[in-house]
Each structure stands twice: as structure tokens, then as C-alpha cells.
Amino acid sequence: MDLLGPDASFPTSYFDKVWTDEYILSGSQIIHRPHQNNGHPSLQQSYMNGRLFFAATETAVEFSGYMEGAVIAAKRMSEKLI
Ligand SMILES: Cc1cc2nc3c(=O)[nH]c(=O)nc-3n(C[C@H](O)[C@H](O)[C@H](O)COP(=O)(O)OP(=O)(O)OC[C@H]3O[C@@H](n4cnc5c(N)ncnc54)[C@H](O)[C@@H]3O)c2cc1C
């Protein structure tokens, strides 16, 4: 209410979007489950002759997808680069 003012306390309408409905899923899209392929060996490698690395939480082999995984991935990458 501080940001939007007192009128924000009295909504006049509500819209909900189901992102997995037929419109979004049409065609042959592949929907990955959360955390699928996290820590995959291909995320540990470097590419472009050692000039491209992946270092986000998704690359961590432990606790990937979480803050702990982000720290583990960052430590691994800093050790690799230094
Ligand atoms: C709603 C929600 C709730 C969560 N709750 C928890 C929880 O309770 N506990 C927990 O452990 N984890 C939780 N997580 C997961 C946790 O937030 C993430 O695992 C963690 O933040 C990932 O850190 P990261 O450094 O790998 O990536 P990010 O935090 O995503 O950092 C990536 C950064 O790169 C920047 N970036 C992107 N593209 C570019 C570009 N081209 N150039 C420059 N910068 C770029 C982005 O702006 C971002 O700042 C939650 C996540 C979400 C979305």
C-alpha cells in the first residue's frame, strides 16, 4: 500500500494465467522439470578453448538450484580461474 496507494487495497478485478495451458504447450515443446540436469558434467567443462565457463547454481553438483549451490559453484569457478 505504501508504494501503490490506498486504492490498491480495493482491487476491482483479478486475472490468473495458467502457464501450462494448451496455448503455451502447443507444438512439440519440451518442458523440463525443476532442477533437471543440474550439476551435469557438461556444465563443469569450459568451452571456446577455455574462454567460456558456466558458474551458476545449476552447475553445482551439490545443492544445485539453491543458494548453497550458488556459493559452491562460485567457489569452484574462482578456484578454476585464479
Ligand atoms: C522465488 C524463489 C525463491 C527461492 N527460494 C530459495 C530459498 O528459500 N533457499 C535457497 O537456497 N534458494 C532459493 N532460491 C534459489 C536461489 O535464489 C538461487 O539458487 C540463487 O539465487 C542462484 O544464484 P546464482 O548466482 O546462480 O544466480 P542468480 O542469483 O540468478 O544470479 C545471476 C545474475 O546474473 C545476472 N545476469 C543474467 N544475465 C546477465 C548478463 N547477460 N550479463 C550480466 N549479468 C547477467 C542476473 O541479473 C543475476 O543478477 C529461490 C529462487 C526463487 C526464484
Side-chain angles (χ1 to χ4, degrees):
M1 195 167 92
D2 287 346
L3 292 174
L4 302 174
D7 287 351
S9 300
F10 305 99
T12 56
S13 59
Y14 169 78
F15 299 94
D16 204 357
K17 175 65 187 162
V18 180
W19 289 104
T20 54
D21 68 9
E22 193 177 337
Y23 170 74
I24 299 293
L25 291 174
S26 65
S28 58
Q29 296 182 26
I30 299 170
I31 308 296
H32 290 287
R33 295 188 309 277
H35 301 218
Q36 190 173 1
N37 293 329
N38 280 2
H40 193 276
S42 64
L43 297 172
Q44 317 301 319
Q45 299 171 19
S46 64
Y47 296 88
M48 299 176 68
N49 295 322
R51 289 181 293 156
L52 175 65
F53 298 89
F54 294 99
T57 185
E58 289 81 4
T59 69
V61 294
E62 287 180 288
F63 306 106
S64 51
Y66 300 95
M67 289 302 300
E68 184 75 13
V71 172
I72 289 171
K75 279 184 169 176
R76 181 181 69 84
M77 189 51 54
S78 62
E79 286 164 7
K80 191 174 267 191
L81 294 176
I82 291 172

